[in-house]
Amino acid sequence: MLNAALYKKEFFGSLRLLAVFGAILTLYITMIIRMYDPEMAQALAQFEQLMPELMSAVGMTGVNDSLMDFMISYLYGMLLLVFPMVYTILRANALVAKYVDRGSMALLLASPVRRTTVALTQLSVLVTGITALTAYCTLLEMVTAHICFPGELAVGQLLRLNGGLWCLQLCIGGFCFLCSCLFGDARYSAALGAGVPCLMYVLQMLANMGGKLEGFRYATVFTLFQPQRLAQGNWRAGLYALVLLTAAVLLFAAAAAVFRRRDLHI
Amino acid sequence: MSMIGISHLTRDFGGGKGVFDLSLEIEKGEAFGFLGPNGAGKTTTIRHLMGFIRAQGGTCSIGGRDCWKDADTIQKTLGYIPGEIAFFEEMSGNAYLAFLRSYRGMKDEGRTSELLERFELQAGVRIKKMSKGMKQKLGIVAAFMHDPDTLILDEPTSGLDPLMQNRFVELVREEKARGKTILLSSHMFEEVERTCDRIGMIRGGRLAALDSAQALRARHVKTYVVTLASEQEARAFAEDFGGRWPLEDARQVEVTARQSLEEIFMHYYGGGPSC
């Protein structure tokens, strides 16, 4: 089902981008976890009082009693949503649409390898990247928390939380990959594959501001990722994560089916 | 049974572009020249044969298998040079060939080193830094290294200098002698005339003429015997104009004139611009 040579080529092709995003996330995660200290929390709470809309838009709200709450507020409102999402958008577009657009897909298909195999191999490279990024963040959070605040972070909570995050990123990845398989022009693939997730994130920000805008939460997939509840072990939040995972798998299947059937003018 | 069969292939892109009711049979061991101006439908036909696009009407088969449904099986024994090759630019030539071998599931080097030597290609360079000619050579090596039975070559000598064009023609002739089936698309009459048994001409997506290369040559290559004043003059003339000398009479030189492709097209398409 998968082609080892192609997987290897594309995996190594992903490393540079993974390293860049890994470095950015390292910077933010270590910085923000180190910032956890009651006095600093007060300062941020003051920010929240000064500009409540802005702070709530990026999810930086709530009582920051525990380290977990603090991390959820300051990492899972924007940073850990947006950076892996950008990685996914870039990579998904490069794995299929770019090759079709440039014509190098012809080299891959002028070989005794099924189209489905090509699509699934490229997809597995994308999933590997998303998984690696999520796993790296998890590990880094645990290590940083352990060094700075030993015993403060509940590992079980963190794993549940990041499991949910992984499902969310896979779902976004599935959508981007479907776009990548759908269009022969990398510009359209990029426009739709990046446009829709970004729009959904903006809607999420608006919904977070509350009031009348809260209705927007029904129009964005980010609603299904509920960090606070996931950490608490709420079954409904877990179910939402499962919904995200199911959606991801369906999108993967659709992408492979589309790629197998479509005309490729390469 | 024919090796490559195209039967009533139709693909309408609108605006008169596409391929319309095209039928062709290419026998095993035959070299077939596919000649036509740019935009005539050569590449579209080839994309159908490669299984990249699905026919709206009609069928394409290679070795008795359907080109769309059994593309991956057909590709096991097929070599392809795309009309415009887009490589993975960041790889070196050698890395690309190695990748392709393992991607294709080849156990050994195949004909790689022999072909690299033949075309004098140093493939250690990054593809991005390669010249047009080097890239074309790399494409040729990639298409022939697994020693395929069927070859689909879309304007294979573009970017090659005359010396390398000759080497390529030699290679194609050798492969034909080894019983390979070859479809060579080109917009240059000389190229197909030198390698192919039969030539099909396509324009506006329709097959305009189908003839043996010999008959086409007889019709479009004119031979003159020129008699000059002296033997020395005849010799100098032969050198300057690439004529055949000496003939029986040492003062005579045989020169050939080829019609340009435009003129041939004019002949077949009956006036009007060829494109």
Side-chain angles (χ1 to χ4, degrees):
Chain A
M1 282 310 261
L2 299 183
N3 184 293
L6 183 61
Y7 183 88
K8 206 172 111 191
K9 171 192 172 314
E10 297 296 350
F11 176 75
F12 285 109
S14 302
L15 282 182
R16 193 159 56 173
L17 204 59
L18 270 179
V20 169
F21 280 88
I24 296 173
L25 287 167
T26 306
L27 190 75
Y28 279 112
I29 288 173
T30 52
M31 199 172 74
I32 284 180
I33 291 180
R34 282 214 320 264
M35 269 164 57
Y36 172 67
D37 110 57
E39 284 174 37
M40 199 62 189
Q42 273 176 4
L44 285 164
Q46 276 177 347
F47 273 127
E48 206 182 317
Q49 280 171 355
L50 283 172
M51 359 174 226
E53 289 92 359
L54 182 70
M55 294 296 273
S56 68
V58 292
M60 295 182 179
T61 51
V63 266
N64 305 314
D65 333 320
S66 71
L67 178 58
M68 193 76 231
D69 288 333
F70 183 85
M71 280 166 61
I72 287 172
S73 294
Y74 298 105
L75 283 173
Y76 291 81
M78 182 172 83
L79 299 170
L80 284 180
L81 300 183
V82 171
F83 285 116
M85 182 173 96
V86 174
Y87 169 83
T88 304
I89 289 169
L90 293 175
R91 210 56 202 129
N93 193 44
L95 282 167
V96 180
K98 208 171 90 184
Y99 289 158
V100 174
D101 192 15
R102 288 195 183 164
S104 37
M105 184 55 80
L107 307 173
L108 297 180
L109 295 186
S111 295
V113 179
R114 283 171 196 277
R115 280 195 194 189
T116 311
T117 307
V118 173
L120 290 181
T121 305
Q122 300 298 71
L123 177 62
S124 64
V125 172
L126 184 67
V127 171
T128 306
I130 294 172
T131 310
L133 220 46
T134 317
Y136 174 72
C137 290
T138 311
L139 204 67
L140 189 69
E141 285 169 325
M142 289 197 307
V143 170
T144 315
H146 182 74
I147 292 171
C148 301
F149 310 98
E152 284 269 346
L153 187 71
V155 173
Q157 287 188 358
L158 183 72
L159 289 181
R160 275 201 298 275
L161 176 58
N162 283 359
L165 180 68
W166 183 68
C167 295
L168 173 73
Q169 297 295 352
L170 284 185
C171 184
I172 297 171
F175 179 77
C176 293
F177 195 73
L178 175 63
C179 291
S180 190
C181 288
L182 211 50
F183 297 102
D185 193 324
R187 277 178 308 172
Y188 297 134
S189 154
L192 199 67
V196 171
C198 290
L199 182 72
M200 282 188 168
Y201 182 71
V202 171
L203 290 179
Q204 156 87 352
M205 287 172 78
L206 293 175
N208 279 349
M209 286 180 174
K212 283 179 188 170
L213 297 172
E214 212 185 320
F216 278 130
R217 70 197 187 92
Y218 295 109
T220 165
V221 73
F222 289 95
T223 307
L224 294 174
F225 174 62
Q226 304 183 333
Q228 201 79 51
R229 288 187 183 173
L230 275 170
Q232 286 160 3
N234 178 295
W235 67 270
R236 195 182 285 271
L239 196 68
Y240 288 160
L242 268 181
V243 170
L244 286 169
L245 191 62
T246 311
V249 172
L250 291 177
L251 287 165
F252 294 165
V258 161
F259 186 70
R260 185 163 69 84
R261 286 183 179 85
R262 64 175 288 219
D263 284 338
L264 294 164
H265 298 277
I266 42 178
Chain B
M1 176 137 174
S2 60
M3 191 67 185
I4 300 179
I6 302 172
S7 164
H8 303 290
L9 180 66
T10 298
R11 174 87 196 190
D12 193 348
F13 290 125
K17 289 272 175 194
V19 175
F20 305 96
D21 198 32
L22 185 78
S23 292
L24 270 183
E25 299 274 313
I26 303 173
E27 298 304 316
K28 187 169 170 19
E30 185 184 16
F32 185 89
F34 201 33
L35 205 56
N38 295 325
K42 299 189 297 283
T43 300
T44 301
T45 310
I46 286 174
R47 281 178 181 154
H48 280 99
L49 289 173
M50 293 298 295
F52 294 165
I53 52 182
R54 198 193 318 218
Q56 280 173 344
T59 54
C60 290
S61 68
I62 294 179
R65 290 175 187 276
D66 185 274
C67 289
W68 173 261
K69 285 187 211 134
D70 297 330
D72 58 311
T73 316
I74 290 173
Q75 294 293 346
K76 277 180 195 161
T77 54
L78 192 132
Y80 170 59
I81 302 180
E84 268 177 49
I85 317 179
F87 289 104
F88 305 114
E89 298 274 316
E90 72 289 351
M91 285 180 143
S92 80
N94 283 329
Y96 167 66
L97 293 172
F99 160 71
L100 210 56
R101 283 195 299 267
S102 83
Y103 178 70
R104 292 195 70 105
M106 282 170 73
K107 301 267 184 307
D108 52 36
E109 280 230 314
R111 298 181 66 183
T112 312
S113 356
E114 175 211 331
L115 288 162
L116 285 174
E117 261 171 52
R118 187 173 195 142
F119 287 98
E120 295 171 23
L121 178 62
Q122 263 84 49
V125 192
R126 285 220 303 172
I127 297 177
K128 197 183 275 181
K129 306 275 178 204
M130 287 187 178
S131 67
K132 175 91 181 66
M134 285 174 84
K135 286 183 186 174
Q136 195 64 30
K137 289 175 184 179
L138 188 63
I140 294 171
V141 175
F144 283 83
M145 67 180 178
H146 55 289
D147 201 15
D149 296 333
T150 309
L151 290 152
I152 295 185
L153 314 171
D154 195 356
E155 310 206 348
T157 61
S158 61
L160 294 186
D161 60 41
L163 177 71
M164 287 302 155
Q165 287 189 8
N166 282 337
R167 293 220 179 140
F168 182 75
V169 167
E170 273 169 37
L171 176 66
V172 171
R173 282 182 180 159
E174 277 174 33
E175 293 306 296
K176 192 173 92 73
R178 290 174 66 209
K180 306 297 173 74
T181 310
I182 298 157
L183 174 72
L184 194 155
S185 130
S186 178
H187 57 260
M188 292 189 297
F189 184 55
E190 290 77 10
E191 189 175 65
V192 288
E193 185 218 349
R194 287 168 71 193
T195 46
C196 297
D197 310 310
R198 276 195 309 151
I199 294 172
M201 293 204 191
I202 182 173
R203 195 181 76 154
R206 292 170 207 277
L207 198 64
L210 187 65
D211 223 332
S212 74
Q214 223 170 358
L216 276 166
R217 196 178 298 123
R219 209 171 299 162
H220 301 288
V221 180
K222 290 181 181 149
T223 309
Y224 302 90
V225 176
V226 185
T227 310
L228 289 114
S230 68
E231 212 179 299
Q232 284 90 337
E233 271 188 48
R235 182 191 205 155
F237 183 85
E239 270 174 24
D240 286 351
F241 291 91
R244 200 158 69 84
W245 184 85
L247 303 179
E248 272 177 46
D249 183 343
R251 288 178 305 154
Q252 287 186 332
V253 181
E254 186 187 282
V255 284
T256 51
R258 290 164 201 275
Q259 275 186 312
S260 70
L261 188 65
E262 284 71 32
E263 287 165 320
I264 299 171
F265 281 137
M266 291 285 263
H267 174 88
Y268 281 101
Y269 306 138
S274 62
C275 201

